[in-house]
Amino acid sequence: KAGVTQTPRYLIKTRGQQVTLSCSPISGHRSVSWYQQTPGQGLQFLFEYFSETQRNKGNFPGRFSGRQFSNSRSEMNVSTLELGDSALYLCASSSRWFDMKSAFFGQGTRLTVV
Amino acid sequence: GQQVMQIPQYQHVQEGEDFTTYCNSSTTLSNIQWYKQRPGGHPVFLIQLVKSGEVKKQKRLTFQFGEAKKNSSLHITATQTTDVGTYFCAGPGGYGGSQGNLIFGKGTKLSVKP
């Protein structure tokens, strides 16, 4: 079956703009988590969604938001982009809440803010 | 807050040599997970350890969970060039049983010289 699909794969934005990233989980998976990966901070948890509800949120400013739709697809939005938001954004999906034994990461969206 | 520390940050080995990465958590973990990320790729789930003192093997990889469930190690015997990548440990940092909020170590980047 198809894996976790993240779009777009690459994105270049200007400071102050906003961006929306998309994650389509594996068919049948209802749990989606988002992570930010940077060379300095490593992998940091952003949000977790299950059944359209945000279950957990990481320590990120309010400029970072997300949502999950009824088909389990998830989006995250970053407003008023800053240079430090440049990162690889990864989502992971799982069939349950939230069992990492069955979690799969997408390829990620590499965001560059200039 | 909860922290997961991983050492070393980098490891360069000659093909055929062994490799070990160590992970320490500031808090007791219900479980610990290990991931591998190839250069330019996304994290791939390797294993989850749950029991105190647990040891699991996957071919040349041996994973251990400490008795106090605060530390873990990954040992690779006779490294091969295919082992190149960054190895991450991660522990659950969420509430209410949620596993989606993972606290990742900074990773150990392994390079293997043929």
Side-chain angles (χ1 to χ4, degrees):
Chain A
K1 52 184 173 181
V4 179
T5 303
Q6 290 188 246
T7 57
R9 289 290 310 278
Y10 303 92
L11 207 49
I12 300 175
K13 290 285 188 179
T14 304
R15 264 187 313 174
Q17 286 186 313
Q18 75 163 17
V19 67
T20 299
L21 312 181
S22 177
C23 173
S24 293
I26 291 171
S27 178
H29 284 195
R30 294 168 61 194
S31 183
V32 174
S33 289
W34 287 89
Y35 291 83
Q36 181 196 63
Q37 186 174 32
T38 59
Q41 298 300 318
L43 278 154
Q44 293 185 286
F45 171 75
L46 281 158
F47 330 96
E48 177 193 3
Y49 289 90
F50 184 84
S51 293
E52 301 178 64
T53 302
Q54 186 179 93
R55 306 290 179 167
N56 263 309
K57 189 177 192 300
N59 189 26
F60 279 81
R63 299 185 297 106
F64 291 80
S65 62
R67 58 179 175 169
Q68 187 180 34
F69 302 94
S70 59
N71 62 358
S72 294
R73 189 177 71 87
S74 177
E75 288 182 348
M76 67 163 283
N77 185 77
V78 187
S79 62
T80 319
L81 284 166
E82 300 177 359
L83 296 178
D85 297 333
S86 295
L88 179 66
Y89 290 88
L90 293 156
C91 79
S93 81
S94 172
S95 58
R96 299 186 280 176
W97 173 340
F98 185 102
D99 182 358
M100 293 307 283
K101 277 188 177 179
S102 59
F104 298 88
F105 278 88
Q107 299 273 23
T109 294
R110 184 161 299 280
L111 171 65
T112 303
V113 183
V114 297
Chain B
Q2 181 184 359
Q3 290 186 350
V4 175
M5 292 145 286
Q6 198 173 345
I7 57 170
Q9 192 175 357
Y10 302 96
Q11 187 78 58
H12 310 282
V13 300
Q14 191 78 33
E15 189 173 21
E17 291 181 338
D18 292 355
F19 159 77
T20 304
T21 174
Y22 301 91
C23 185
N24 283 286
S25 169
S26 59
T27 60
T28 302
L29 301 170
S30 60
N31 67 77
I32 194 158
Q33 294 145 36
W34 286 90
Y35 294 79
K36 176 183 178 181
Q37 186 173 20
R38 294 182 188 273
H42 59 280
V44 174
F45 175 82
L46 293 177
I47 207 161
Q48 181 188 67
L49 303 172
V50 179
K51 299 176 184 176
S52 170
E54 188 170 14
V55 178
K56 285 189 176 180
K57 291 190 176 185
Q58 288 179 352
K59 297 183 181 178
R60 294 178 295 104
L61 278 61
T62 301
F63 304 85
Q64 291 188 328
F65 200 11
E67 294 290 339
K69 301 182 76 171
K70 295 182 71 174
N71 58 69
S72 181
S73 65
L74 158 59
H75 180 81
I76 302 179
T77 303
T79 54
Q80 301 175 357
T81 54
T82 53
D83 296 325
V84 164
T86 301
Y87 293 84
F88 295 96
C89 61
Y95 338 103
S98 166
Q99 301 284 303
N101 176 8
L102 285 177
I103 309 295
F104 280 84
K106 291 286 180 73
T108 296
K109 188 173 183 179
L110 172 65
S111 62
V112 180
K113 188 175 181 180

